[in-house]
Amino acid sequence: MPRSLPALPAALPAALLCLALAACDGGVHGTPGGSGVRDPYFPKAGNGGYDVGHYGLTLAYDPDGGRLTGTAVITARAGRDLSAFDLDLRGLHVDEVTVEGRAARWNRAGQELTVRPHDDLDRGETFTTTVRYFGRPETITDPDGSEEGWLPTADGALGLGEPVGSMAWFPGDHHPSDKASYDITVTVPAGLQAVSNGELKSETTRNGRTTTVWHTAEPMASYVATVAVGHYTVSRSTTPDGLPVYTAVDPTQAAASERVLAKIPEIMEWEAYNFGPYPFSSTGAIVDRPADSGYALETQNRPVFPGAPDTATLVHELAHQWYGDSVTPRTWRDMWLNEGFATYAEWLWAEDHGGPTAQQTFDKVYRSPADSDLWAFPPAEPPSAADISDRPVYDRGAMVLQKIRQKVGDDTFYDIVQGWAAAHRHGNADTAAFTAYVEKKAPDKDFSAVWKTWLYGDGKPARP
């Protein structure tokens, strides 16, 4: 019995796709899951009809040939009766798909891998899908021109996912609204190392190959999953309260990184004091060469940096562990809840360490001319996917937080930022939930002007 169907046109209506898939087996009682979750900027990202609980990824990578071989075991729960469902996977070749151990039909159309299980799935049923795949993973260019996905480096590769790049190296539900735990096993030629999220469970070398096993117990959005392959100087330590710290640094960056990475315990203590208990079971950093990615990313447990970071950037990316990684945006429109908070963490760090106060930083930023890119759009409404990482999302997002602080005072403000992180720990939230939370925490204050002018207002406000 053939395991794949002939490729169907990408524009084929969902109903016809359902009929094409259903024709392979008997009658169905379910319906196909959606091929996207209608994100306002990435409508094809993610999939409907199920929720992933766990990814088990077994990967082998050969930098010389650039070939990745993978097996993804995806455990999910059906949200409705399903006759078929989609996974996001860009490029790569699929060898085989099974659902609950039985061969499944599948079809490829763009980034969609549509799977038709041998037996329909019942609502509430937990099921396991195994996808075996191989090929040369792609580097994806974002709408803003940055690169993500699978990035070849001088001595290996770097898997980065924001916003949709992780579909270049493993199949899944690649939208931040569906978080899961992970086990990632990576085999590379001996002499190289493979670093990922979570905790290193084992590392073995035999027959010229080294295999490392990483476990992430806490829920993680796929865009902050990472695999870094290369030569690294590895350091293991703990913070004063016993939190494991694991850093992996490209040898060319080791000397330049040593002093700033030594600040991780201090920064973690300061951020936990300001933002509440750290939400994960380890911390650290991955430092590659400047040309390897061109930007830092808040990959869960250990952010990735292109060369030795400065202190402010380290503070920023570690703050994302609370705001972005633990409290994850419901859609990409809510990006300011990541970047505004992490930028404001930089302002607070400076305030507490002999630099300008957050208000002084706010005033300096406000002095940007009216035609500056800072005022191009409101932080809560980027006009397109190309704008979700632009300056208004970062700096104007931080300005919103300073306006809240001005209105409520420090005691209530820190209750808000800590309570927000606690209330949505390991979950998802959007802007409407945040504004409602702020209003609930300070019911005697009127925030309408803050929301209208600073969060949703166009142009430069007339007064700071």
Side-chain angles (χ1 to χ4, degrees):
M1 182 172 65
R3 295 183 177 176
S4 63
L5 296 171
L8 296 172
L12 190 68
L16 293 182
L17 178 58
C18 174
L19 290 173
L21 291 169
C24 302
D25 288 289
V28 298
H29 69 268
T31 58
S35 60
V37 295
R38 298 181 180 177
D39 185 274
Y41 303 130
F42 299 92
K44 282 294 186 181
N47 300 285
Y50 64 91
D51 178 71
V52 178
H54 182 73
Y55 289 95
L57 306 178
T58 302
L59 310 173
Y61 183 66
D62 180 3
D64 287 340
R67 179 185 170 97
L68 178 73
T69 301
T71 299
V73 180
I74 304 165
T75 304
R77 182 177 181 273
R80 61 175 184 258
D81 293 344
L82 288 175
S83 60
F85 59 90
D86 281 26
L87 298 168
D88 301 310
L89 181 65
R90 178 160 166 171
L92 299 172
H93 303 283
V94 175
D95 265 337
E96 179 185 44
V97 181
T98 63
V99 178
E100 288 295 279
R102 304 192 69 173
R105 307 265 183 178
W106 51 270
N107 180 72
R108 301 292 299 275
Q111 72 183 53
E112 301 298 324
L113 170 61
T114 302
V115 178
R116 170 68 167 94
H118 184 277
D119 301 304
D120 286 3
L121 301 168
D122 296 328
R123 179 180 179 181
E125 178 180 353
T126 297
F127 63 97
T128 298
T129 303
T130 301
V131 182
R132 304 183 192 281
Y133 59 99
F134 68 93
R136 294 176 62 94
E138 295 183 14
T139 297
I140 298 171
T141 300
D142 283 341
D144 66 2
S146 61
E147 292 186 334
E148 57 174 280
W150 195 260
L151 309 178
T153 63
D155 56 357
L158 186 59
L160 297 178
E162 188 176 66
V164 293
S166 293
M167 65 180 175
W169 55 280
F170 69 95
D173 192 16
H174 291 301
H175 188 266
S177 59
D178 192 358
K179 301 165 71 170
S181 60
Y182 283 72
D183 284 289
I184 300 179
T185 300
V186 190
T187 300
V188 296
L192 295 177
Q193 294 148 292
V195 184
S196 189
N197 311 89
E199 282 67 66
L200 178 62
K201 292 301 182 180
S202 67
E203 184 172 11
T204 57
T205 299
R206 61 171 59 94
N207 300 324
R209 308 283 285 177
T210 298
T211 299
T212 53
V213 179
W214 297 85
H215 175 65
T216 301
E218 299 89 357
M220 178 167 70
S222 67
Y223 81 90
V224 288
T226 190
V227 168
V229 176
H231 297 285
Y232 295 104
T233 300
V234 171
S235 174
R236 296 178 177 88
S237 61
T238 58
T239 64
D241 60 358
L243 182 71
V245 181
Y246 184 103
T247 62
V249 183
D250 186 286
T252 66
Q253 306 300 310
S257 301
E258 183 176 6
R259 179 174 295 182
V260 68
L261 294 184
K263 296 181 179 180
I264 289 177
E266 177 189 2
I267 294 171
M268 294 300 297
E269 181 181 19
W270 177 85
E271 293 191 337
Y273 177 80
N274 284 279
F275 307 142
Y278 181 61
F280 302 115
S281 50
S282 67
T283 188
I286 300 170
V287 181
D288 254 313
R289 305 182 191 198
D292 288 341
S293 67
Y295 57 88
L297 186 63
E298 60 269 23
T299 44
Q300 193 159 302
N301 301 95
R302 51 192 52 84
V304 170
F305 299 94
D310 57 24
T311 300
T313 304
L314 185 58
V315 168
H316 182 108
E317 301 304 335
L318 290 175
H320 272 310
Q321 305 304 303
W322 282 262
Y323 307 108
D325 292 10
S326 178
V327 184
T328 302
R330 192 172 303 280
T331 77
W332 288 110
R333 178 174 286 153
D334 305 303
M335 184 75 154
W336 83 273
L337 289 171
N338 292 16
E339 301 302 346
F341 269 90
T343 301
Y344 195 69
E346 295 182 54
W347 295 11
L348 291 176
W349 175 270
E351 178 176 281
D352 287 351
H353 293 82
T357 66
Q359 184 60 49
Q360 288 170 332
T361 302
F362 176 101
D363 293 339
K364 180 180 179 181
V365 172
Y366 177 79
R367 289 194 291 269
S368 299
D371 60 353
S372 166
D373 59 354
L374 174 67
W375 314 111
F377 58 85
E381 291 184 337
S384 74
D387 303 298
I388 63 172
S389 293
D390 283 356
R391 191 181 175 195
V393 173
Y394 288 67
D395 288 347
R396 285 194 66 179
M399 295 175 92
V400 171
L401 296 175
Q402 178 61 14
K403 295 302 291 186
I404 295 171
R405 184 183 179 189
Q406 284 180 336
K407 183 169 285 291
V408 303
D410 279 7
D411 288 347
T412 300
F413 176 75
Y414 283 103
D415 284 346
I416 288 171
V417 296
Q418 292 177 16
W420 174 251
H424 297 279
R425 182 182 174 96
H426 300 316
N428 295 88
D430 58 18
T431 300
F434 177 73
T435 57
Y437 185 83
V438 172
E439 292 170 355
K440 180 180 179 181
K441 296 291 284 187
D444 58 331
K445 304 294 183 182
D446 181 5
F447 293 94
S448 57
V450 175
W451 309 147
K452 180 179 179 180
T453 302
W454 296 96
L455 187 56
Y456 290 103
D458 288 319
K460 182 176 182 177
R463 294 180 297 173

